[in-house]
């Protein structure tokens, strides 16, 4: 446990007054939604500008670990977004990134 705490403390960085760690990251243009559902398709987007890759995971239940599908998301680097569209009815399904 001490090793974990020490690693977290050492990974913190000090930022100039008035800035945050995300000030220089690309941001989405306009409005965006994490999940936009329709019976024909569901669009997913994740803001993760420092990620090397992002994966969308769809589950059949919110309480059991029954993976239905796992999809690599596509980057939109100039906005720091990762996107994916599933052309199925995902009503009643659960997701994580």
């Amino acid at each position: 446990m001490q090793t974990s705490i020490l690693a977290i403390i050492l990974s913190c960085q000090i930022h100039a007054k008035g800035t945050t760690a995300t000030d220089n990251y690309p941001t989405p243009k306009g409005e965006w939604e994490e999940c936009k559902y329709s019976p024909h398709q569901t669009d997913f987007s994740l803001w993760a500008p420092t990620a090397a890759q992002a994966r969308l995971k769809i589950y059949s239940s919110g309480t059991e670990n029954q993976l239905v599908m796992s999809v690599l998301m596509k980057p939109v680097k100039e906005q720091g977004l990762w996107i994916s569209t599933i052309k199925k009815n995902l009503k009643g399904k659960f997701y994580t990134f």
Side-chain angles (χ1 to χ4, degrees):
M1 178 135 177
Q2 288 178 338
T3 303
S4 298
I5 293 172
L6 181 59
I8 291 170
I9 291 171
L10 292 176
S11 68
C12 295
Q13 296 179 2
I14 298 173
H15 300 282
K17 187 176 182 179
T19 66
T20 65
T22 59
D23 281 348
N24 296 321
Y25 292 154
T27 55
K29 309 294 182 227
E31 294 184 28
W32 65 277
E33 298 176 278
E34 182 177 295
C35 178
K36 186 175 180 183
Y37 167 81
S38 81
H40 305 288
Q41 74 180 38
T42 303
D43 300 316
F44 296 91
S45 62
L46 171 69
W47 185 70
T50 62
Q53 74 174 19
R55 184 173 293 277
L56 168 68
K57 294 183 177 186
I58 308 292
Y59 296 90
S60 61
S61 165
T63 58
E64 297 177 20
N65 197 18
Q66 294 180 357
L67 187 64
V68 174
M69 69 177 69
S70 178
V71 178
L72 276 175
M73 299 179 80
K74 296 177 187 172
V76 182
K77 293 187 187 242
E78 64 275 2
Q79 296 185 45
L81 289 174
W82 295 82
I83 60 170
S84 186
T85 297
I86 306 298
K87 295 186 183 237
K88 287 183 165 185
N89 188 346
L90 295 180
K91 184 176 182 178
K93 303 293 187 233
F94 295 79
Y95 71 92
T96 62
F97 297 112

